[in-house]
Amino acid sequence: MRFVGIRELVILLVMTVAPAWSMAHELNRPMGSILTNAETAELILCSNAPDLDELREILAEIRRDDLRANEIIRRMRSFVKQSPFEAREIDPYATIREVFEFLSGQASARNVTLELQTSAEPLRVKADPVQLQQVILNLIINGMDALADVPDGRLVIGRTEGNGGTSALISISDSGPGIPAEKLNRIFDPFFTTKAQGMGIGLCIARTIVLAHRGRIWAENRTAGGAVFRLTLPLSAH
Ligand code: ADP
């Protein structure tokens, strides 16, 4: 039996549970408001003259939130059902757009604007779409985490563009505080985290995936403020 190191094991585990974490976050909102609404309805029913119109409105909201939760689960299923470890020719913009759509609910709950931009030229890379989505998911969530204490103008921007005719350049930037200079070359290390609940393996996994695709990933601070993560993937003809 081949020995699997703790680092590989953790990486494998996180690749399978990360989408589930994200789903749990997204589900928090409709589930939370269903609970609040059910409690409010109970209180109304205990009053001497229950307001039936208000009860009707609450039931409609519960129904709406339930449908929303179902939709999140449906999207989640189709997201994880895609066959793993299958490299094929893909349009990186379309692949990344799915992640932006997937996280849109979580972003609005966190008061973050997600924006996706692309250059006009069509790009094709040979990549495993699920693995690429894992990387982008992690970068966007990190960007949103970095915005937690930013009072306003919370923005995460994704961009895909050509890079000298040989690779595609994908960047995820945010309007957060950026990364302290002394930490810039440590953030990709396994178990490096500055978050109370962090595990410090997201970026390590991201780098593993990008390197397996013969690409590069690195982080910088933007002159306008905030961090930007860039990754390159060779174009499929190269
Ligand atoms: P975790 O999110 O569990 O901490 P990661 O490997 O994804 O693990 O990130 C490692 C660290 O890199 C984070 O704890 C944070 O300090 C830093 N980091 C990552 N993304 C950003 C960002 N967009 N802005 C500022 N710091 C960041």
Side-chain angles (χ1 to χ4, degrees):
M1 196 176 76
R2 198 172 79 86
F3 174 72
V4 177
I6 181 80
R7 187 175 147 185
E8 279 171 276
L9 198 63
V10 171
I11 288 172
L12 278 172
L13 272 176
V14 170
M15 281 183 67
T16 43
V17 300
W21 272 342
S22 178
M23 179 181 75
H25 275 298
E26 265 216 86
L27 278 176
N28 268 346
R29 198 168 160 220
M31 298 312 274
S33 58
I34 286 173
L35 185 65
T36 313
N37 267 329
E39 285 167 355
T40 313
E42 266 174 4
L43 286 177
I44 294 174
L45 284 170
C46 288
S47 69
N48 291 336
D51 183 336
L52 291 184
D53 284 340
E54 203 178 342
L55 277 174
R56 245 177 240 116
E57 213 171 290
I58 285 175
L59 285 174
E61 267 177 35
I62 289 178
R63 200 177 134 75
R64 225 177 13 244
D65 285 327
D66 182 82
L67 290 174
R68 189 170 149 63
N70 272 332
E71 170 60 17
I72 292 170
I73 291 168
R74 192 194 61 74
R75 270 194 292 142
M76 182 63 205
R77 285 205 179 116
S78 67
F79 188 76
V80 294
K81 251 191 203 159
Q82 297 174 43
S83 49
F85 307 112
E86 188 207 326
R88 57 174 200 255
E89 207 176 281
I90 54 165
D91 167 4
Y93 177 76
T95 306
I96 291 167
R97 193 179 54 209
E98 282 180 29
V99 186
F100 273 73
E101 282 164 7
F102 178 70
L103 288 175
S104 61
Q106 189 181 141
S108 60
R110 298 174 77 167
N111 210 8
V112 173
T113 303
L114 292 185
E115 202 179 300
L116 186 56
Q117 308 167 346
T118 184
S119 56
E121 62 197 303
L123 297 169
R124 305 296 290 174
V125 297
K126 196 153 188 234
D128 181 318
V130 177
Q131 290 194 358
L132 179 56
Q133 287 177 332
Q134 291 269 359
V135 173
I136 302 302
L137 184 93
N138 191 73
L139 296 180
I140 302 173
I141 289 178
N142 273 348
M144 293 202 283
D145 286 348
L147 293 166
D149 296 328
V150 173
D152 46 32
R154 298 175 177 192
L155 184 62
V156 174
I157 301 175
R159 188 170 167 76
T160 58
E161 60 201 303
N163 187 34
T166 55
S167 58
L169 176 67
I170 299 165
S171 55
I172 304 290
S173 56
D174 62 67
S175 57
I179 304 160
E182 73 279 8
K183 297 200 169 102
L184 261 175
N185 57 3
R186 296 176 59 203
I187 54 173
F188 289 94
D189 290 349
F191 308 116
F192 176 83
T193 185
T194 54
K195 301 175 194 171
Q197 310 292 330
M199 290 181 72
I201 43 185
L203 289 178
C204 168
I205 291 169
R207 191 181 53 180
T208 307
I209 292 174
V210 174
L211 290 179
H213 284 80
R214 295 187 298 124
R216 284 181 59 218
I217 181 167
W218 70 99
E220 291 167 9
N221 284 311
R222 299 191 312 158
T223 36
V228 55
F229 285 79
R230 297 189 212 277
L231 64 100
T232 58
L233 293 174
L235 294 178
S236 52
H238 290 80

